Amino acid sequence: MQYLNKWNNQKKNDQRNRAFLLGAIALVIILIVIVLMNTISSNRTVSAAKLRCVATQEVTPFGNRVLYYDGITLFCLDGSGSEKWSYTLGSNASFTCSSQTVVAWSGSQLHILDKNGQPTYNETLANTIQFAKAGSKYVAIVMGTDVGPTLEIKDLWGTHVDDEIAAYTDMIILDLGFFDNGEYLWTTSLDVYGTVANTVLHTYKVNMTNSGEISLGENLAYDVVFAGGKLNVVTTRKLRKFDYRGTEDTQASVLVYGWQLEDHATVGNDAMLLFSLSGSSSTVGLNQLRLLYGKTDNRFTMPSSCVGAALFNKRVYAFSADTIYRANINAQRFEAIALPGIMDGLKVTGYLGMLENGTALLSTADGSVFSVTLP
């Protein structure tokens, strides 16, 4: 009996050891797969395709596609340059887009298009449209005169959802955007009759009351990035953080005077913000970059003058006349990558934006536009 018990115990131990060994092997296999996937994704081959549009045709990223307007028709291309759809807007039209929706206007005519170029709404509104922007669930339209405009919210099929007039009496709406899964809206506006310039930030929950109103003072707020439940308000002097109700986290403000926001991304609960020295892009090009991300505040000196910079996959990219520069966020130096052969002899003169899959849109001195898959 003692021998039998001993044999049973040994058998149980062997089974446990075997199960532990199999689990360890499975874990190692999973880790190897993750490493291989990361290696493959981080070592893409740089490639380029010449698009049929030119740099002056409002070339705009649209998810993983490209939009451009030739003065009459709005075209949508894939990253390789093949046409996906087209839509006639007529002359003197303007457009903006989210990753899934296009909103276009001319005079008082409003068009809402889905990602396949199909119109979900096409009607004439009561007032002239100043500008409009699309979110994931709604479209915001600023209408009427410059001072004292009307803000109207429609769903993606054009149904009236909400509007606001009183908040913008004697104000000019500067910009707006949707945040938090498209359920909330922020606007920045300027009091034109005040003795001192004053920018105001409003926040709303769509189809409900005004959530917050914040006086930002005389420093112009030119971008707002939502991340981790906070609105990161970028002004010409400071980066300031507010919650939905307009309460500021004064301990989180950062001085950015002299720096201009180039690009932003959301990583986890933090906003990743990439700045360049103000005015450098219009004179001698980008020579210095600054990255704010959580508690990270890194400075980068460029190996040569660049025409633009961007973020993708937690990396910093910059574009010179003939080179792509790449660096991890904590790197001490940039890696230089030659532009693809199709661009040989063509000097890059502009950066037009980034597709969601990491394809940069670059323009050259002759006005050509290339989609360049970043390594």
Side-chain angles (χ1 to χ4, degrees), residues 140-205:
I141 310 105
V142 179
M143 298 182 295
T145 57
D146 289 340
V147 180
T150 297
L151 173 65
E152 182 176 354
I153 310 297
K154 293 180 176 292
D155 66 18
L156 300 183
W157 294 268
T159 302
H160 176 84
V161 175
D162 201 356
D163 57 44
E164 178 61 57
I165 301 175
Y168 302 109
T169 300
D170 297 336
M171 307 286 281
I172 294 175
I173 297 179
L174 302 174
D175 200 1
L176 58 84
F178 291 92
F179 65 97
D180 198 11
N181 298 316
E183 295 287 351
Y184 285 80
L185 175 76
W186 61 263
T187 70
T188 53
S189 55
L190 181 66
D191 182 356
V192 295
Y193 294 123
T195 56
V196 178
N198 181 38
T199 303
V200 178
L201 175 71
H202 286 93
T203 58
Y204 305 88
K205 182 170 174 57

Side-chain angles (χ1 to χ4, degrees), residues 71-91:
I72 297 293
T73 303
L74 181 67
F75 292 93
C76 179
L77 311 177
D78 64 18
S80 64
S82 298
E83 182 178 316
K84 304 301 293 184
W85 52 261
S86 63
Y87 183 85
T88 301
L89 294 176
S91 59

Side-chain angles (χ1 to χ4, degrees), residues 55 65 67 75 81 149 198 203 214 217 247 255 259 262 267 283 307 325 328 343 345 363:
R65 297 177 178 180
L67 297 174
F75 292 93
N198 181 38
T203 58
I214 308 112
T247 302
L255 186 67
W259 296 90
E262 290 287 327
V267 180
T283 54
V307 300
Y325 295 110
N328 293 323
M343 301 179 68
S363 61

Side-chain angles (χ1 to χ4, degrees), residues 9-130:
N9 290 335
Q10 182 62 41
K11 184 176 180 182
K12 291 179 181 179
N13 288 334
D14 290 344
Q15 290 174 338
R16 282 196 295 267
N17 291 337
R18 189 178 298 109
F20 176 79
L21 180 61
L22 291 174
I25 292 173
L27 180 61
V28 170
I29 292 174
I30 292 172
L31 291 174
I32 291 174
V33 170
I34 292 174
V35 170
L36 287 174
M37 290 179 65
N38 287 336
T39 300
I40 292 172
S41 64
S42 62
N43 288 287
R44 298 190 304 179
T45 301
V46 60
S47 60
K50 185 177 181 180
L51 306 182
R52 69 189 195 190
C53 51
V54 295
T56 56
Q57 292 179 319
E58 300 181 53
V59 181
T60 304
F62 179 45
N64 288 329
R65 297 177 178 180
V66 182
L67 297 174
Y68 75 94
Y69 172 61
D70 70 354
I72 297 293
T73 303
L74 181 67
F75 292 93
C76 179
L77 311 177
D78 64 18
S80 64
S82 298
E83 182 178 316
K84 304 301 293 184
W85 52 261
S86 63
Y87 183 85
T88 301
L89 294 176
S91 59
N92 300 316
S94 301
F95 73 92
T96 60
C97 64
S98 64
S99 62
Q100 298 287 321
T101 303
V102 180
V103 56
W105 64 95
S106 177
S108 57
Q109 188 76 18
L110 180 70
H111 310 263
I112 303 175
L113 312 177
D114 66 18
K115 66 179 180 180
N116 297 315
Q118 296 300 313
T120 59
Y121 182 80
N122 178 11
E123 296 291 342
T124 301
L125 304 185
N127 290 302
T128 301
I129 300 168
Q130 293 185 28

Side-chain angles (χ1 to χ4, degrees), residues 214 230 241-250:
I214 308 112
K230 298 287 186 181
K241 296 189 179 185
F242 299 87
D243 65 14
Y244 291 73
R245 297 289 180 181
T247 302
E248 183 176 8
D249 181 357
T250 56

